[in-house]
Amino acid sequence: MSDGWLATIRGDPGRRRIAVLAVLAFGIGLASLHWLGIVAAGAAVGILAPSTRRALAWGVGVGVVIVATFLLQAVAVGTLDRVLGAGQPILVAVIIPLVAAPLGALVRALE
Amino acid sequence: MVGEYTRRAVAAALLGTGVGAGLLNPANTYLDGFAPLSGDAWARARDRPSGPVDSPYGDAAVTYDEFGVPSITGDDERSVYYAVGYVHGVDRLFQMDLFRRRMRGTLSAVLGDRTLESDRFHRRIDFTRAAEATWDRVADTVAGPHVEAYVEGVNDARRAQPTPIEFGLVDYSPGRWTPVDTMLMEKQISWGLTGSFRTLRQAARRAAFEDTVVEELFPARFDHDVPIVQDRHREDTPDDRRTRHDPPARDRAPVDPATVATLSRFEWPDGVGSNSWLVGGEHTASGDPLLANDPHLPLSAPPVWYEQRLDPGPYTVHGVTFPGVPFVVIGRNDAGAWGFTNAGADVIDFYEYDTVGEDRYRYRGDTRSFQTRTETIEVADGDDETMTVRESVHGPLLTREDRTVAMAWTGLTGTATTVAVYEYARSDGVDDILAATRDFDEPTQNLVYASGDGDTLYCVTGKIPIRRTDGDPVPGNRVFDGSRGEGEWRGFTPYGQSSWAGFIPFDEKPRARDVDVLGTANQRITDTPRHYLAEGYSDGFRAIRLDDRLKALRDRDAPITPAAMRDLQRDVYDERAARLVPAIQPAVAGTDHASWAAAFDGWDFHMRADSVAALRFALVWAAYRESLYAEAFAAADLDDAHWPADWVTATLPADATWFDRLGRSRAAVIRDAVATARTREREAGYETYGDLNVADVDHPFGLGFLGYPERPIAGSPATLFNYHRDGPAGSSWRMVVPPNGTADGILPGGNAGDYFDRHYRDQFGLWLTGQYRSLTPAGGDPDLRFRGDTDE
């Protein structure tokens, strides 16, 4: 599997960057539909990583991007202060992507 | 190679386990609810309600003011009431769903087995069937089409707009709103205000104590001279005659205190009372009358009331309603203003039977079968529960253990209150209000009204039964022998339509018009009722203070202003303190408590948050009640709900037989109470009353972030500025209205029930400190437009 187009992307930083951004955007879209989308986003980005360790780190990065997207949405509609004041639920909301996205990125280790 | 296989196996196991666990409960509930971009709990954080909205009823527009109060204009009434439904669906949908689930007995379907007892009770009473009978009564009246438009608006908002956070927290979706659900809201407030097991509690007391104790601690009438309708008001009160206050006959058998305690959990908490008053135009600065009202109800986040201003063309009405109810309940229109306090009338009775086996009972010489049906209660994350519900000729059975007691309550039949409240908005003066009030079948309330034409009116709403035994009227202050046909109500059909033939005629209830000043604070309505009205009334403390201050305002040289009315609503004088404190210092004189009690020197009995004396009085008061009652009542298996009213505690004289029974003098009991109070003050580190008296208003879920911030607050259960920290309960809406001028009002929290809305708690600080907002129309561009011409 890694001998084909995937290896080409992994080996070319420029293409890899574009691919990561593309699958990240797609992954955020999936994550907006269902929490499994966060796992899928982590998997999609992780599989582009050159190593399992990098995949896990990128998975954390995907989680951070998803949290940031969520907070930016709240800023846009004027609810950020209430979101940040939401006690345990906001902690859960932050933890979910930071766990689920690296979990998805583990697909890199299946190769 | 082996290491690579191991790595893949571990990765696959982690991935599979992680995703698999996430798909199972309870993890799936958390993930569905709280995942940041998709979680249902965040729906309103990501996406705010918006329009335009296609309306089947014509154009309308909603403009929210700076406190989230909607001003709604429209082509006609139906277009406006559709929009009202829509904004209730946007602003209060979870609260509405919670209320209807409570009344239908379906809480456990979403909250699990912790609410089973509530579901059992509400199904046993069967409020839903009563609401269905009520909708049958209302559907074909002038109000029916507006209720239908409202319901459609609620459902369109429910389908189109993001759901509030609570649905994500509990992981369910609200079902279709129906007209019967709107009628259930009337049943809920009516049950809260008139559904009382006082008769059963009093029966348990009679069984536990000798007659002299019962007469001393539980008098039928509190000894004060400030009824609502006083001699100078009496010109319009029809044919008053002093009624005998017969002591109740013996109950058939002792009432099980444990059963009473279980039932009492489904009453509203202590403190449900209210203030309202009228000032005639001859005493005001403007020459127009003034009206003030602050109903004291359970406090919660969001508040029980929703404020709205409606302008359908022919009239404008502004005030508060219950979420789920389209029409303004307390408020003002172009012609006048109206408000309510609880009348305390007795509209509930209890009947015990001779039974034949489990399912039959004796009734007037016959043997009848209880009507029975099986109810299935759905339980989230648990097994469904089935229960058998029984009903006699009088109403639902409350117990099936050692005794068989049925309940008759006026709310369990078809009622037309919705029509009355709808007509209030359209009213054009005092005669319209009186005419509309004839349909106000429940709950029994003290209605006050003031018009821009200068008229004032006080009257009692609600149907009040005349119970009869062997053809003679009897008071409803004991458990009746249902098998003998005692205490029956003529013209009442539970779960059907009642003729009300045997009830107190509307024109024979207490009434007053064109008053100088008149105050209601849940006290005795009149000293000379033509008919039996109530088993008892609230403590007279607020009534005395209100009467004193209204008369002082009336009798001074300066005219009365709305500012003086607002000041009166902020009054924190505690009559209990005025009566007990003078006994404290002599009791502790010469002891080491004397210096502590010196804090009462010169105290004006005002329960201010920064007062040391108020703190010490509150602590002594609580300890004094415990010293008086805790041991003796516990020995009789009666919990603190059976303890005497504050009126009795505050006025219990030193030579009361109760002190003989305790074997201690009043002074000794007071010294004990002071010692306990000192210990509690020290251990808790209290310095002023505000350290103890904290406004702690929570959301039903008890989650801190959904509640309001905890803050020191003035007032007590006995002050006009009212706050019961046990409950909590207090002023659920304060309103002062000059009928021809700008009204003021305030809610204890915010008008929005959506946690993510900036109006969720924006009035709380103002309410806490006794401030007000002007009830004026919202300006600017509409926030939500309703388009009624989409088919063209």
Side-chain angles (χ1 to χ4, degrees):
Chain A
M1 187 171 150
S2 59
D3 290 340
W5 59 271
L6 195 51
T8 306
I9 293 173
R10 285 175 181 162
D12 180 341
R15 290 185 181 183
R16 192 173 66 206
R17 192 173 299 122
I18 292 169
V20 164
L21 289 175
V23 299
L24 185 59
F26 184 64
I28 288 172
L30 289 178
S32 299
L33 300 175
H34 194 271
W35 64 266
L36 278 173
I38 303 173
V39 180
V45 171
I47 210 160
L48 298 174
S51 68
T52 299
R53 187 168 297 179
R54 294 278 291 278
L56 287 172
W58 288 10
V60 172
V62 170
V64 170
V65 169
I66 287 174
V67 170
T69 304
F70 172 56
L71 296 178
L72 284 172
Q73 281 182 339
V75 169
V77 297
T79 58
L80 182 65
D81 57 336
R82 270 88 72 196
V83 166
L84 295 178
Q88 286 184 334
I90 186 60
L91 290 178
V92 175
V94 169
I95 290 169
I96 286 171
L98 295 179
V99 172
L103 186 72
L106 274 177
V107 295
R108 182 66 177 83
L110 298 180
E111 289 184 34
Chain B
M1 194 68 180
V2 173
E4 191 159 319
Y5 279 132
T6 304
R7 177 174 59 83
R8 287 178 180 168
V10 168
L14 280 173
L15 190 53
T17 305
V19 172
L23 291 170
L24 298 173
N25 274 331
N28 191 46
T29 300
Y30 284 105
L31 290 161
D32 277 345
F34 302 123
L37 298 180
S38 65
D40 296 333
W42 309 112
R44 287 282 179 96
R46 297 184 301 256
D47 185 15
R48 302 300 300 158
S50 59
V53 178
D54 293 336
S55 166
Y57 296 105
D59 288 348
V62 176
T63 308
Y64 286 100
D65 73 5
E66 69 272 26
F67 285 95
V69 176
S71 288
I72 304 175
T73 59
D75 285 351
D76 58 18
E77 285 184 291
R78 291 192 86 185
S79 67
V80 164
Y81 284 117
Y82 173 84
V84 172
Y86 204 93
V87 297
H88 284 197
V90 166
D91 289 331
R92 296 293 185 96
L93 187 60
F94 174 73
Q95 188 181 28
M96 291 160 61
D97 192 63
L98 185 73
F99 287 169
R100 73 166 160 177
R101 283 186 173 279
R102 181 184 300 150
M103 297 306 287
R104 286 181 178 274
T106 58
L107 283 173
S108 301
V110 295
L111 298 177
D113 57 10
R114 79 192 101 163
T115 51
L116 260 175
E117 194 61 44
S118 172
D119 285 348
R120 290 184 195 120
F121 174 81
H122 288 88
R123 291 192 186 221
R124 196 171 287 134
I125 304 297
D126 205 353
F127 293 98
T128 304
R129 200 148 50 107
E132 289 167 353
T134 295
W135 178 236
D136 288 344
R137 171 74 180 82
V138 171
D140 294 329
T141 67
V142 288
H146 306 304
V147 172
E148 287 171 342
Y150 170 87
V151 165
E152 210 166 329
V154 172
N155 284 317
D156 285 349
R158 180 180 61 86
R159 283 188 288 265
Q161 302 294 349
T163 52
I165 186 171
E166 291 93 339
F167 292 107
L169 292 174
V170 186
D171 192 24
Y172 79 100
S173 298
R176 191 170 63 91
W177 190 262
T178 67
V180 172
D181 292 322
T182 289
M183 302 301 115
L184 272 172
M185 301 301 102
E186 177 190 316
K187 299 302 169 193
Q188 172 175 256
I189 189 71
S190 298
W191 176 255
L193 293 168
T194 63
S196 167
F197 296 109
R198 178 190 190 120
T199 303
L200 300 181
R201 274 193 294 277
Q202 190 69 347
R205 293 165 180 143
R206 281 195 292 269
F209 296 117
E210 54 270 34
D211 289 348
T212 51
V213 168
V214 173
E215 285 167 23
E216 184 170 84
L217 297 188
F218 305 100
R221 169 181 167 140
F222 296 142
D223 186 21
H224 63 71
D225 57 359
V226 290
I228 295 171
V229 179
Q230 302 181 5
D231 287 343
R232 68 182 189 285
H233 298 134
R234 202 165 302 283
E235 54 190 336
D236 280 352
T237 306
D239 191 22
D240 286 340
R241 294 178 303 202
R242 185 166 293 274
T243 299
R244 291 174 304 154
H245 285 279
D246 294 331
R250 277 280 155 209
D251 299 285
R252 274 167 51 103
V255 173
D256 170 28
T259 301
V260 182
T262 301
L263 291 171
S264 297
R265 290 166 50 195
F266 302 105
E267 295 174 302
W268 274 13
D270 283 347
V272 174
S274 311
N275 308 319
S276 71
W277 58 85
L278 292 165
V279 176
E282 67 271 28
H283 299 292
T284 66
S286 65
D288 298 325
L290 290 170
L291 178 145
N293 186 201
D294 59 304
H296 308 159
L297 297 175
L299 299 172
S300 65
V304 297
W305 296 105
Y306 182 83
E307 186 184 340
Q308 60 193 27
R309 181 185 188 92
L310 315 181
D311 182 0
Y315 59 87
T316 302
V317 60
H318 190 143
V320 288
T321 185
F322 299 105
V325 175
F327 310 119
V328 167
V329 176
I330 292 176
R332 58 96 52 91
N333 66 3
D334 309 309
W338 58 94
F340 297 101
T341 60
N342 203 14
D346 187 353
V347 295
I348 188 168
D349 278 325
F350 303 92
Y351 303 86
E352 198 196 12
Y353 305 95
D354 298 323
T355 53
V356 182
E358 191 170 324
D359 292 321
R360 306 179 78 196
Y361 65 107
R362 300 285 297 165
Y363 179 66
R364 291 183 179 272
D366 293 336
T367 300
R368 294 192 178 199
S369 295
F370 291 116
Q371 289 184 40
T372 63
R373 68 178 191 284
T374 301
E375 293 271 331
T376 301
I377 304 175
E378 183 186 345
V379 182
D381 302 322
D383 296 331
D384 291 354
E385 179 179 294
T386 58
M387 63 182 286
T388 301
V389 177
R390 292 177 172 80
E391 185 186 318
S392 78
V393 67
H394 297 106
L397 261 58
L398 297 175
T399 55
R400 283 293 297 175
E401 288 85 27
D402 56 332
R403 301 184 69 202
T404 304
V405 175
M407 181 187 94
W409 174 57
T410 52
L412 290 182
T413 190
T415 49
T417 301
T418 298
V419 184
V421 176
Y422 164 70
E423 292 286 7
Y424 283 171
R426 301 159 52 90
S427 63
D428 190 25
V430 68
D431 293 333
D432 283 356
I433 288 287
L434 258 180
T437 304
R438 291 176 184 273
D439 280 332
F440 201 115
D441 295 333
E442 63 163 346
T444 41
Q445 296 286 289
N446 299 305
L447 166 68
V448 289
Y449 177 77
S451 79
D453 292 336
D455 295 312
T456 54
L457 167 72
Y458 163 82
C459 67
V460 177
T461 73
K463 297 292 193 288
I464 304 173
I466 302 174
R467 308 86 174 142
R468 293 178 187 273
T469 298
D470 300 327
D472 295 328
V474 293
N477 55 3
R478 68 184 181 96
V479 179
F480 291 119
D481 185 336
S483 291
R484 252 200 85 221
E486 288 182 348
E488 301 225 311
W489 304 359
R490 282 197 300 117
F492 180 73
T493 306
Y495 309 113
Q497 304 306 321
S498 296
S499 71
W500 309 110
F503 284 63
I504 299 178
F506 183 71
D507 291 326
E508 294 182 12
K509 289 189 290 187
R511 186 186 300 170
R513 288 182 71 160
D514 300 325
V515 301
D516 54 347
V517 293
L518 179 142
T520 87
N522 317 110
Q523 78 271 40
R524 186 167 63 252
I525 295 172
T526 169
D527 285 338
T528 55
R530 181 169 182 177
H531 301 276
Y532 166 81
L533 294 176
E535 191 172 354
Y537 295 96
S538 295
D539 295 320
F541 303 122
R542 284 180 290 115
I544 291 170
R545 179 62 172 174
L546 180 57
D547 193 71
D548 285 349
R549 284 205 60 185
L550 281 175
K551 286 175 179 167
L553 286 166
R554 179 196 63 186
D555 295 339
R556 67 179 187 174
D557 291 336
I560 301 173
T561 63
M565 302 292 89
R566 295 191 293 271
D567 184 58
L568 188 46
Q569 285 189 333
R570 287 188 286 261
D571 188 285
V572 292
Y573 174 87
D574 193 321
E575 180 72 23
R576 297 174 310 170
R579 292 175 183 244
L580 183 66
V581 165
I584 294 176
Q585 288 184 314
V588 299
T591 71
D592 63 353
H593 300 314
S595 60
W596 188 83
F600 297 127
D601 289 345
W603 183 40
D604 59 4
F605 311 122
H606 282 62
M607 303 298 282
R608 298 186 185 92
D610 61 356
S611 168
V612 176
L615 166 69
R616 293 186 175 177
F617 164 71
L619 291 168
V620 171
W621 177 263
Y624 182 55
R625 293 185 74 229
E626 291 164 20
S627 297
L628 281 173
Y629 310 126
E631 199 173 315
F633 278 71
D637 284 334
L638 299 177
D639 63 18
D640 58 4
H642 291 83
W643 292 5
D646 281 1
W647 179 270
V648 171
T649 303
T651 58
L652 200 62
D655 60 355
T657 58
W658 184 248
F659 291 111
D660 299 335
R661 197 176 194 279
L662 292 178
R664 290 187 296 163
S665 68
R666 186 174 74 168
V669 176
I670 289 174
R671 279 193 293 275
D672 283 354
V674 169
T676 302
R678 290 188 71 179
T679 302
R680 288 176 180 167
E681 182 186 74
R682 186 178 62 250
E683 289 179 351
Y686 296 138
E687 294 181 355
T688 61
Y689 184 51
D691 296 335
L692 169 69
N693 203 49
V694 174
D696 184 8
V697 180
D698 275 337
H699 184 277
F701 284 178
L703 296 172
F705 73 97
L706 290 175
Y708 300 142
E710 294 182 16
R711 296 281 185 273
I713 185 170
S716 78
T719 59
L720 293 173
F721 185 89
N722 196 261
Y723 185 74
H724 295 235
R725 61 183 179 279
D726 299 327
S731 300
S732 60
W733 164 246
R734 292 192 195 104
M735 179 179 85
V736 173
V737 190
N740 287 323
T742 301
D744 294 310
I746 197 74
L747 280 173
N751 212 36
D754 165 19
Y755 166 74
F756 294 108
D757 195 300
R758 62 197 172 93
H759 303 299
Y760 185 69
R761 54 170 70 108
D762 58 350
Q763 299 184 52
F764 188 67
L766 298 173
W767 171 84
L768 198 72
T769 52
Q771 299 176 71
Y772 295 79
R773 308 167 15 251
S774 292
L775 308 188
T776 51
D781 295 331
D783 296 284
L784 209 50
R785 289 184 188 277
F786 295 81
R787 299 180 307 202
D789 56 354
T790 51
D791 291 337
E792 295 175 12

